[in-house]
Amino acid sequence: MADLILALDLLDPMYAREVAESCAASLDAIKLGYPLILSAGLGVVKDLADLGLPLIADFKVADIPNTNGLIANQVFSAGFDAIICHGFTGRDAVEACVDAAHAYGGECFVVAEMSHPGALSFFSRGVAEQIATLAVECRADGIIAPATRPERIRALRSVVRSRKIYSPGIGTQGGDLRSVLPLVEGVIVGRTIYGAADPAKEAAVMAAIVNDERSS
Ligand code: O7M
């Protein structure tokens, strides 16, 4: 049972709102990150809240525990429902994000391995497994693992077991939606939806595939 999560990496807040609104019926959550927040400001969170979808803050938080906690508190005060942090910073830094998330009744996801080719420089050789283990030990709600490498999702599943795996890299980065869906609790899709000639139609096509997988 995977969720369809839109990565709303657009710079124009008006257009971002238009895309989010037109796709909303097909989506389970929206992920907002630096591109939109830096161009539109944090107020965009409140602007999108009326769509009724969970909003995930993708700042890939990666600082010392005190700073991580300050960032996470700002994120949840702004109205987000979940936060994404890096795990290579270590136990205390990850715990600061998880604790803040849970204090607000929100969720925290830890990046275990990234989807782009360059990620192999550092995330291979067991590091991703160690980060996933840390995420579980820190009571994170789930991890991020690459749709571009389904075999790595399988390997990380054996570490995180029933915790959630959200997976970016579908479509534009080469990941295949149908192959990844049975492996994860959520797929994160950006350009394939918002860059389509008709984003709402593309989101509906993807949602139909997600629903097919849910009922199979
Ligand atoms: O579908 P795309 O390629 O246009 O966008 C993918 C989104 O997922 C985009 O917002 C990326 O920043 C994000 N992402 C990755 O593409 N790869 C990763 O390894 C991790 C993320 C991510 O969401 O991390 C939390």
Side-chain angles (χ1 to χ4, degrees), residues 6-9 31-33 35 56-60 84-86 109-111 113-116 119 123 144-149 166-174 188-194:
L6 173 64
L8 197 56
D9 296 326
K31 181 179 80 74
L32 308 179
I56 303 171
D58 178 11
F59 296 129
K60 295 187 183 68
I84 297 172
C85 68
H86 266 301
F109 292 83
V110 178
V111 178
E113 178 169 328
M114 296 189 73
S115 59
H116 59 302
F123 284 106
I144 306 295
T148 46
R149 290 179 223 102
Y166 284 172
S167 192
I170 302 283
T172 311
Q173 294 184 50
I188 296 171
V189 184
R191 288 166 288 179
T192 305
I193 292 177
Y194 69 70

